[in-house]
Amino acid sequence: MEKNKLIPIEKICTHFEIEFSFFDQLNRMNLIEIRTIEQRHFIHQDYINDLEKMIRLHHELDINLEGIDVVFNLLQKIDALQDELDTVKNRLKQYEDDY
């Protein structure tokens, strides 16, 4: 990972007014990946959208960390099913075009 694409977690903590322990727990549950460089903690910018969703779920809907884990696992399954459905639709369309 490129260093210039890493965002310091202390910056995110300040922006969202959240303690580091929240991010540490998400990391322990494998919902985010925290990179440590020279005793500073970072998250890759590609994961910021998911992180913002997790923060909103926690703050606005008062969903605990286990609930966030369930929600994100379900969202991943939905994405996988959508990909599979798209593949099946494309195959079906090929067969329809042949006849």
Side-chain angles (χ1 to χ4, degrees), residues 5-98:
K5 293 187 177 188
L6 297 175
I7 300 171
I9 289 187
E10 60 264 10
K11 196 175 196 179
I12 299 169
C13 288
T14 304
H15 179 75
F16 289 104
E17 298 177 358
I18 295 178
E19 303 221 1
F20 176 78
S21 61
F22 177 76
F23 300 100
D24 188 44
Q25 289 175 323
L26 291 175
N27 185 54
R28 289 181 195 187
M29 296 176 80
N30 293 320
L31 290 171
I32 64 171
E33 182 182 347
I34 294 177
R35 295 283 189 157
T36 304
I37 302 172
E38 298 175 6
Q39 298 183 354
R40 291 188 66 205
H41 304 288
F42 299 88
I43 187 165
H44 195 274
Q45 71 182 16
D46 291 346
Y47 301 108
I48 292 298
N49 287 336
D50 285 344
L51 184 60
E52 287 177 344
K53 289 177 192 174
M54 291 177 205
I55 292 168
R56 282 196 309 271
L57 287 170
H58 185 66
H59 278 300
E60 295 174 13
L61 300 177
D62 202 28
I63 296 176
N64 63 17
L65 294 171
E66 291 79 11
I68 292 171
D69 187 28
V70 169
V71 168
F72 270 79
N73 284 328
L74 288 173
L75 288 172
Q76 286 176 338
K77 287 181 181 183
I78 289 170
D79 286 343
L81 287 171
Q82 187 63 51
D83 290 343
E84 186 177 342
L85 179 61
D86 291 342
T87 301
V88 170
K89 283 181 178 180
N90 288 337
R91 280 184 164 170
L92 180 60
K93 186 175 180 182
Q94 285 177 344
Y95 287 118
E96 288 175 343
D97 289 346
D98 289 343

